[in-house]
Amino acid sequence: VYDYTVTQDSIEIETYDSTRTVVFYNYKFVLHNKNYGKENYIAVTAIDHGDPITETPSMQSDPRSNAVSIIPSKLTYTSDIVVFPNPYRDDVDYQALDWENIDGGTWFEKDRKIMFMNLPKRCILKIYTLAGDLVKTITHNGNAATGTPYQQGVYGAYWNFITENNQAAVSGIYLFSVQDVDSDFEYVGKFVIIK
């Protein structure tokens, strides 16, 4: 289903007593040609070929037992924080592109989405008007569970254009700042909303 490469990442050896040692092989999977910000579910299964002598059928482990949600949000070609789509245009059908309102159903203003990629794993994202008024503060934790509001993968966050005052954002140029809570990294950028 996916175009990927796999390499052995590390080996862990655990000795429980003088008669039992367990070796764990860790592998690194790299998915190719995936859309940024789009959620994918990955699971690794074990399959055997059965035993014809004992007539034991082939068996496979349940892929639901270790499924993981992956949202590509780290860009390797730049260290800058990237905003997508920029500019956000009201005349583009983002729903048809599977970017907004992915579950279908009735579309609401809160279904809009602009994504910030290449964020530090733990940071504070603040969005301002061009006049310097604070519009929204988003705390990003890359370790947060899937489905946490505003989280879009380990290195990404999104904003649904709803302000701190629960109002829809209007057309204009917006500034944003990102402050890493674990270092002195700070970044300032801008994006445009055209409604």
Side-chain angles (χ1 to χ4, degrees):
V1 174
Y2 296 121
D3 178 24
Y4 67 92
T5 56
V6 60
T7 56
Q8 186 170 327
D9 192 39
S10 63
I11 298 175
E12 297 176 29
I13 300 174
E14 292 185 14
T15 305
Y16 294 100
D17 54 38
S18 61
T19 61
R20 197 171 118 202
T21 300
V22 178
V23 179
F24 297 95
Y25 295 93
N26 298 312
Y27 294 90
K28 179 179 180 179
F29 288 80
V30 178
L31 302 177
H32 303 287
N33 303 321
K34 301 309 305 168
N35 291 334
Y36 286 104
K38 184 90 169 161
E39 188 170 28
N40 302 279
Y41 287 94
I42 307 298
V44 178
T45 62
I47 302 172
D48 69 13
H49 297 288
D51 184 8
I53 295 172
T54 61
E55 296 181 4
T56 305
S58 174
M59 296 177 12
Q60 176 179 352
S61 62
D62 187 355
R64 295 171 294 184
S65 65
N66 66 6
V68 176
S69 166
I70 302 294
I71 302 174
S73 55
K74 181 77 169 169
L75 305 175
T76 56
Y77 62 84
T78 182
S79 60
D80 292 343
I81 293 170
V82 176
V83 180
F84 177 81
N86 188 13
Y88 179 95
R89 297 173 49 116
D90 195 34
D91 61 347
V92 175
D93 189 358
Y94 294 112
Q95 185 171 343
L97 297 172
D98 282 340
W99 181 248
E100 296 176 338
N101 196 21
I102 296 169
D103 298 331
T106 305
W107 187 90
F108 297 101
E109 182 71 23
K110 65 178 179 58
D111 289 322
R112 294 187 190 276
K113 181 169 69 172
I114 192 164
M115 184 171 169
F116 300 85
M117 294 183 283
N118 263 11
L119 292 174
K121 201 167 188 180
R122 295 182 338 122
C123 64
I124 298 171
L125 168 67
K126 293 185 177 184
I127 300 169
Y128 301 90
T129 64
L130 200 53
D133 297 322
L134 180 63
V135 176
K136 185 72 175 176
T137 300
I138 297 172
T139 56
H140 171 70
N141 182 352
N143 299 318
T146 303
T148 302
Y150 306 111
Q151 304 302 307
Q152 194 77 3
V154 176
Y155 301 102
Y158 72 91
W159 179 42
N160 60 2
F161 296 3
I162 303 299
T163 69
E164 295 287 352
N165 297 326
N166 208 26
Q167 298 173 326
V170 297
S171 294
I173 299 172
Y174 289 83
L175 304 174
F176 69 93
S177 70
V178 174
Q179 184 176 12
D180 189 338
V181 297
D182 297 317
S183 74
D184 59 355
F185 173 81
E186 290 185 23
Y187 186 90
V188 176
K190 63 185 173 188
F191 61 92
V192 178
I193 297 174
I194 304 171
K195 284 185 172 182

